Amino acid sequence: MSKVTISRKEHFNAAHRLFNPDWTDEKNETVFGKCNNPNWHGHNYELIVSLTGEPDPETGYVYDMKKLSDLINECVIDKLDHKNLNLDVPEFKNLNPTAENIAIVIYNLLKAKIGSESDLKIKLYETERNFVEYPA
Amino acid sequence: MSKVTISRKEHFNAAHRLFNPDWTDEKNETVFGKCNNPNWHGHNYELIVSLTGEPDPETGYVYDMKKLSDLINECVIDKLDHKNLNLDVPEFKNLNPTAENIAIVIYNLLKAKIGSESDLKIKLYETERNFVEYPA
Amino acid sequence: MSKVTISRKEHFNAAHRLFNPDWTDEKNETVFGKCNNPNWHGHNYELIVSLTGEPDPETGYVYDMKKLSDLINECVIDKLDHKNLNLDVPEFKNLNPTAENIAIVIYNLLKAKIGSESDLKIKLYETERNFVEYPA
Amino acid sequence: MSKVTISRKEHFNAAHRLFNPDWTDEKNETVFGKCNNPNWHGHNYELIVSLTGEPDPETGYVYDMKKLSDLINECVIDKLDHKNLNLDVPEFKNLNPTAENIAIVIYNLLKAKIGSESDLKIKLYETERNFVEYPA
Amino acid sequence: MSKVTISRKEHFNAAHRLFNPDWTDEKNETVFGKCNNPNWHGHNYELIVSLTGEPDPETGYVYDMKKLSDLINECVIDKLDHKNLNLDVPEFKNLNPTAENIAIVIYNLLKAKIGSESDLKIKLYETERNFVEYPA
Amino acid sequence: MSKVTISRKEHFNAAHRLFNPDWTDEKNETVFGKCNNPNWHGHNYELIVSLTGEPDPETGYVYDMKKLSDLINECVIDKLDHKNLNLDVPEFKNLNPTAENIAIVIYNLLKAKIGSESDLKIKLYETERNFVEYPA
């Protein structure tokens, strides 16, 4: 039977700051601009989680959307929502919270819970006009 | 010459109910929850149909968007719009109308009309936050 | 101090059918067309509830958005979501569930809970292209 | 001649925290919940500025949209974008940065620049599902 | 009985150019900038038509949305869609096709058809970020 | 390390006309319909440019979104925005400006500037309901 991709959209709000601790303030300012504000700024992140697999013949589901939503909320949203990514989330203690890196962190959080039988993909909107996908 | 994917968005409204006739009412309720309401519920489905091929050098079109819209309306929208998927659409007589299965049914309806020279893909939004793609 | 309007968006899915029991089937079919399907059809309803008042000087809130969301879910969403409006919701036993009438029913459900000090307004999208507001 | 309302949409990203310095930490936590995180959180704010007046018979404009966009950027966006509202914006030194209060601050910033001949109105989305309008 | 506002969204695409024939080319260029391109530019216009009235007790409708859609298509869309507003639409022969003026023209086209018992209002998006409402 | 796709959305407005100079007026009218209007029509084009590569370990960026936005504006938006594609843009002197061909032109404009180490992809919305992707 052929495979179907299912996707669930969730959202979270967070503060963050982009900077590289190995660089001078001047270089951080030059490279990251307004995103380097030491007092932080923030975003409404829109998160789309996709799974690919064959629909179960008994349910017609690749994966129960309600369970997928619950899983995303438990593993990702509760950890990131209304947080300061740099200060409150251990995964970003030594990792710059760019959209690229946030997507990779979310992928790893979910991959541990989703069985290997389902392909997993993350799409993350930092703003309506800037977004990333992982894996490519 | 390189290939381009073109996409056309259409919509339809329908009622449906998720259940497996081989299961007890209790199991249906456990698995499908609110979607198992025997009195039905419904959705505004947003449908995106994509075709991939080389643009015709004389028209610059992969496929005429107007003709694609007409084809989707004739083969899919007229059949599903303002209908009860379980009761009014023969394809779901013995098939649970999950988003996954609706996308597969729409694919098969259109594939019969679209020549094999164009790759066909279906994206179906059941709600703004739940959507599927077929083939994956 | 000046008044501010705050708004909260929620959604629900439901099946319904438009018809007038005092009319013949023919007249119902003529007036309501596809919306008269006796097997029902359905929609994703997007609901925006607005309250107008002066912000509380201690909180800066006209009304706590979290409490407003909880109130809408308790009074409206739990009653209408994944339901057949005609069969499952007593308010529509003798009232045609047009978007206009659904908005009036939602207004009355919430007005009983919202103190008279706050102006209440309902905006209801039946589809992305059809929506109503009450009171006008 | 009759009046027309024109509207221009802009956006900014910011970090903030809701709290009342006259309250205990416990009361702040109880009232503001996750929005009280002392490490901040943030949003993509969508801002719609509306002006009402008679179109100029020579231009057909109520107000030049390009000039309105420039004015919003100079007076509002440059002041709030990629900032911590509590720490970086003097207007919120003693004012809780709720959506209601942000809208009032933006109104006052623009009112000083817009002549009294044009009615001014602010609509501010804190998230897609929470928004405010001032004046009501 | 209380009044309800109903709204229907339609769209059209058109080319136009902003200029005042009583002005020099230099003044037109200064005032209208890129919108003054003598070779034209264009937009996807999103049009929302709103009517306010009491729901008919027999139908529950303020106005049949299907009839409203048909009326907008006959009176407005067929006249403006895929047209050059300045060259193809007589109403703009001596009227600059700003969003403000297009909204007034659409209002007048529909007002002649809508009985005086229903309040009529036009909202017109020239882009996602620029829109007008008439009457204010 | 694994690859991430980043995407940036920009927009432009333009007039155009579809026709094949080798065909009779009748054939152009038959094939292109309303899009063949000799007085032009127009669109708000939404453009999404995607790049795929490995995030730089020092910045966490696949590509700086601000630089990508600047590049798109310099190479594409300044060339196409508020223009007549057929008359003002040399690339369409002998090429029909269908969405497919506009996407290919934009790809070629950007490919010359983006290093070969990053995969480039173009998504172009001609309307909300018609869009294309290149390469497929």
Side-chain angles (χ1 to χ4, degrees):
Chain A
M1 195 179 174
S2 294
K3 290 188 173 181
V4 179
T5 298
I6 68 157
S7 298
R8 173 71 188 171
K9 184 177 166 188
E10 302 285 346
H11 52 247
F12 60 94
N13 310 319
H16 78 153
R17 175 199 181 193
L18 300 186
F19 77 107
N20 182 333
D22 297 335
W23 291 350
T24 63
D25 287 355
E26 289 70 24
K27 182 159 184 187
N28 271 296
E29 172 69 20
T30 302
V31 172
F32 294 117
K34 292 186 295 182
C35 299
N36 183 44
N37 180 357
N39 284 335
W40 324 98
H41 66 285
H43 295 289
N44 301 329
Y45 291 92
E46 296 288 339
L47 168 64
I48 297 173
V49 176
S50 299
L51 295 178
T52 297
E54 293 180 11
D56 179 301
E58 287 206 307
T59 60
Y61 282 167
V62 168
Y63 201 97
D64 183 325
M65 286 281 195
K66 177 69 173 61
K67 287 186 184 163
L68 180 56
S69 174
D70 290 346
L71 186 67
I72 301 168
N73 275 280
E74 286 161 26
C75 298
V76 179
I77 305 301
D78 288 353
K79 192 181 187 81
L80 305 183
D81 188 36
H82 283 77
K83 296 292 171 58
N84 182 308
L85 299 179
N86 307 65
L87 299 181
D88 296 329
V89 183
E91 282 81 354
F92 298 108
K93 193 161 189 71
N94 298 302
L95 183 67
N96 203 13
T98 58
E100 289 90 331
N101 283 335
I102 302 171
I104 293 171
V105 163
I106 292 171
Y107 177 89
N108 291 333
L109 288 169
L110 287 169
K111 191 61 184 177
K113 301 282 183 171
I114 302 281
S116 58
E117 72 277 9
S118 299
D119 285 331
L120 171 67
K121 191 162 183 178
I122 304 300
K123 187 173 190 175
L124 183 71
Y125 285 81
E126 192 171 74
T127 70
E128 192 206 357
R129 301 174 76 179
N130 290 350
F131 59 94
V132 302
E133 290 161 281
Y134 178 77
Chain B
M1 197 180 173
S2 294
K3 289 189 173 180
V4 179
T5 299
I6 68 157
S7 297
R8 173 71 188 171
K9 184 176 166 189
E10 302 284 346
H11 52 246
F12 61 94
N13 310 318
H16 77 153
R17 176 200 180 192
L18 300 186
F19 76 108
N20 182 333
D22 297 335
W23 291 350
T24 62
D25 286 356
E26 290 68 26
K27 182 161 184 188
N28 271 295
E29 172 69 20
T30 302
V31 172
F32 295 118
K34 293 186 295 182
C35 299
N36 183 44
N37 181 356
N39 284 335
W40 324 99
H41 66 285
H43 296 288
N44 301 329
Y45 291 92
E46 296 289 339
L47 168 64
I48 297 173
V49 175
S50 299
L51 296 178
T52 297
E54 293 180 9
D56 178 301
E58 286 206 309
T59 59
Y61 283 166
V62 168
Y63 201 97
D64 184 324
M65 285 281 194
K66 177 70 172 63
K67 286 186 185 164
L68 179 56
S69 173
D70 290 347
L71 186 66
I72 301 168
N73 275 280
E74 286 161 26
C75 298
V76 179
I77 306 300
D78 288 355
K79 191 181 188 82
L80 305 183
D81 188 37
H82 283 78
K83 296 291 170 59
N84 182 308
L85 299 180
N86 307 65
L87 299 180
D88 296 330
V89 183
E91 282 80 353
F92 297 108
K93 194 163 190 70
N94 298 302
L95 183 67
N96 203 13
T98 58
E100 290 90 330
N101 283 336
I102 302 171
I104 294 171
V105 163
I106 292 172
Y107 177 88
N108 290 333
L109 288 169
L110 287 169
K111 191 62 185 174
K113 300 282 183 169
I114 302 282
S116 58
E117 71 278 9
S118 299
D119 284 331
L120 171 67
K121 191 161 181 177
I122 304 300
K123 186 173 190 175
L124 182 72
Y125 285 81
E126 191 170 74
T127 71
E128 193 206 356
R129 301 174 77 178
N130 289 350
F131 59 96
V132 302
E133 291 160 281
Y134 178 78
Chain C
M1 196 179 175
S2 294
K3 289 188 174 181
V4 179
T5 298
I6 69 157
S7 297
R8 173 71 188 170
K9 184 177 166 188
E10 302 285 347
H11 51 247
F12 60 95
N13 310 319
H16 77 153
R17 176 199 181 192
L18 300 186
F19 76 108
N20 182 332
D22 298 335
W23 291 350
T24 61
D25 287 355
E26 290 68 25
K27 182 160 184 187
N28 272 294
E29 172 70 20
T30 302
V31 172
F32 295 118
K34 293 187 295 181
C35 300
N36 184 44
N37 181 356
N39 284 335
W40 324 99
H41 67 286
H43 296 288
N44 301 329
Y45 290 92
E46 296 288 339
L47 168 64
I48 296 173
V49 175
S50 300
L51 296 178
T52 297
E54 293 181 10
D56 179 300
E58 286 207 308
T59 60
Y61 282 167
V62 169
Y63 201 96
D64 183 325
M65 286 280 195
K66 177 69 173 61
K67 286 186 184 163
L68 180 56
S69 173
D70 290 347
L71 186 67
I72 300 168
N73 275 279
E74 286 161 26
C75 299
V76 179
I77 305 300
D78 288 354
K79 192 181 188 82
L80 305 182
D81 189 37
H82 283 77
K83 297 291 172 58
N84 182 308
L85 299 179
N86 307 65
L87 299 181
D88 296 329
V89 183
E91 282 81 353
F92 297 108
K93 194 163 190 69
N94 298 303
L95 184 67
N96 203 12
T98 60
E100 290 90 329
N101 283 336
I102 301 171
I104 293 171
V105 163
I106 291 172
Y107 176 89
N108 290 333
L109 288 169
L110 287 169
K111 190 63 185 175
K113 301 281 183 170
I114 302 283
S116 59
E117 72 277 11
S118 298
D119 285 331
L120 171 66
K121 192 161 181 177
I122 303 301
K123 187 173 189 175
L124 182 71
Y125 285 81
E126 192 170 74
T127 70
E128 193 206 357
R129 302 173 76 179
N130 290 349
F131 59 95
V132 302
E133 291 161 281
Y134 177 77
Chain D
M1 195 179 175
S2 295
K3 290 188 173 181
V4 179
T5 299
I6 68 156
S7 297
R8 173 71 188 171
K9 183 176 166 188
E10 303 283 347
H11 52 246
F12 60 94
N13 310 320
H16 78 154
R17 176 198 181 193
L18 299 187
F19 76 108
N20 182 333
D22 298 335
W23 292 350
T24 62
D25 287 355
E26 289 69 25
K27 182 160 184 188
N28 271 295
E29 173 69 19
T30 302
V31 173
F32 295 117
K34 292 185 296 182
C35 300
N36 183 45
N37 180 356
N39 283 335
W40 324 98
H41 67 285
H43 296 288
N44 301 329
Y45 291 93
E46 297 288 340
L47 168 64
I48 297 173
V49 175
S50 299
L51 296 178
T52 297
E54 293 181 10
D56 179 300
E58 286 207 307
T59 60
Y61 282 166
V62 168
Y63 201 97
D64 184 326
M65 286 279 195
K66 177 70 174 63
K67 286 186 184 164
L68 180 56
S69 174
D70 290 346
L71 186 67
I72 300 169
N73 275 280
E74 286 162 26
C75 299
V76 179
I77 306 300
D78 288 353
K79 192 181 187 82
L80 304 183
D81 187 37
H82 282 77
K83 297 291 170 60
N84 182 308
L85 298 179
N86 306 67
L87 299 181
D88 296 330
V89 183
E91 282 80 353
F92 298 108
K93 194 164 189 69
N94 298 302
L95 183 68
N96 203 13
T98 58
E100 290 90 330
N101 283 336
I102 301 171
I104 294 171
V105 164
I106 291 172
Y107 176 89
N108 290 333
L109 288 169
L110 286 169
K111 190 62 185 176
K113 301 281 182 170
I114 301 281
S116 59
E117 72 277 11
S118 299
D119 285 330
L120 171 67
K121 191 160 181 178
I122 304 301
K123 186 173 189 175
L124 182 71
Y125 286 80
E126 192 171 73
T127 70
E128 192 205 357
R129 301 173 76 178
N130 290 349
F131 59 94
V132 302
E133 291 161 281
Y134 178 79
Chain E
M1 195 178 173
S2 294
K3 290 188 174 182
V4 179
T5 299
I6 69 157
S7 297
R8 173 72 189 170
K9 184 177 166 188
E10 302 284 347
H11 51 247
F12 60 95
N13 310 318
H16 77 154
R17 176 198 181 192
L18 300 186
F19 76 108
N20 182 334
D22 297 336
W23 291 351
T24 62
D25 287 355
E26 290 70 24
K27 182 160 184 187
N28 272 294
E29 172 69 20
T30 302
V31 172
F32 294 117
K34 292 187 295 183
C35 299
N36 184 44
N37 181 355
N39 283 336
W40 324 99
H41 66 284
H43 296 288
N44 301 330
Y45 291 92
E46 296 288 339
L47 168 64
I48 296 173
V49 175
S50 300
L51 296 178
T52 297
E54 293 180 10
D56 179 300
E58 286 207 307
T59 60
Y61 283 166
V62 168
Y63 202 96
D64 183 326
M65 285 280 195
K66 177 69 174 62
K67 286 187 184 163
L68 180 56
S69 173
D70 289 347
L71 186 67
I72 300 169
N73 275 279
E74 286 162 26
C75 298
V76 179
I77 305 300
D78 287 354
K79 191 181 187 83
L80 305 183
D81 188 37
H82 283 76
K83 296 291 171 59
N84 182 307
L85 299 180
N86 306 66
L87 299 181
D88 296 330
V89 183
E91 282 81 353
F92 298 109
K93 195 165 188 68
N94 298 303
L95 183 67
N96 203 13
T98 58
E100 290 91 331
N101 283 335
I102 301 171
I104 294 171
V105 163
I106 291 171
Y107 177 89
N108 290 334
L109 287 169
L110 286 169
K111 191 62 185 177
K113 300 282 182 169
I114 302 282
S116 59
E117 72 277 9
S118 299
D119 285 330
L120 171 67
K121 191 161 181 177
I122 304 300
K123 187 173 190 175
L124 183 72
Y125 286 81
E126 192 171 72
T127 70
E128 192 206 357
R129 301 173 77 179
N130 289 350
F131 59 94
V132 302
E133 291 161 281
Y134 178 77
Chain F
M1 195 179 174
S2 295
K3 290 188 173 181
V4 179
T5 298
I6 68 156
S7 298
R8 172 72 188 172
K9 183 177 167 188
E10 303 284 347
H11 51 246
F12 60 93
N13 311 318
H16 77 154
R17 176 199 180 192
L18 300 186
F19 77 108
N20 182 333
D22 298 335
W23 292 350
T24 61
D25 287 355
E26 290 69 24
K27 182 160 184 187
N28 271 295
E29 173 69 20
T30 302
V31 172
F32 295 116
K34 292 186 297 181
C35 299
N36 183 45
N37 181 355
N39 284 336
W40 324 98
H41 67 286
H43 296 289
N44 301 329
Y45 291 92
E46 296 288 340
L47 169 64
I48 296 173
V49 175
S50 300
L51 296 178
T52 297
E54 293 180 10
D56 179 300
E58 286 207 308
T59 60
Y61 282 167
V62 168
Y63 201 96
D64 184 325
M65 285 280 195
K66 177 70 174 61
K67 286 186 184 163
L68 179 57
S69 173
D70 290 346
L71 186 66
I72 301 168
N73 276 279
E74 286 161 26
C75 299
V76 178
I77 306 301
D78 288 354
K79 191 181 188 81
L80 304 183
D81 188 36
H82 283 77
K83 296 292 170 57
N84 182 309
L85 298 179
N86 307 66
L87 299 180
D88 296 330
V89 183
E91 282 81 354
F92 298 108
K93 195 163 189 69
N94 299 303
L95 183 69
N96 203 13
T98 58
E100 289 91 331
N101 283 335
I102 302 171
I104 294 171
V105 163
I106 291 172
Y107 177 88
N108 290 333
L109 288 169
L110 286 169
K111 190 61 185 175
K113 301 280 182 170
I114 301 282
S116 59
E117 71 277 9
S118 300
D119 285 331
L120 171 67
K121 192 161 182 178
I122 303 301
K123 187 173 190 175
L124 182 72
Y125 285 81
E126 192 171 74
T127 70
E128 192 206 356
R129 301 173 77 178
N130 290 349
F131 58 96
V132 302
E133 291 161 281
Y134 178 78

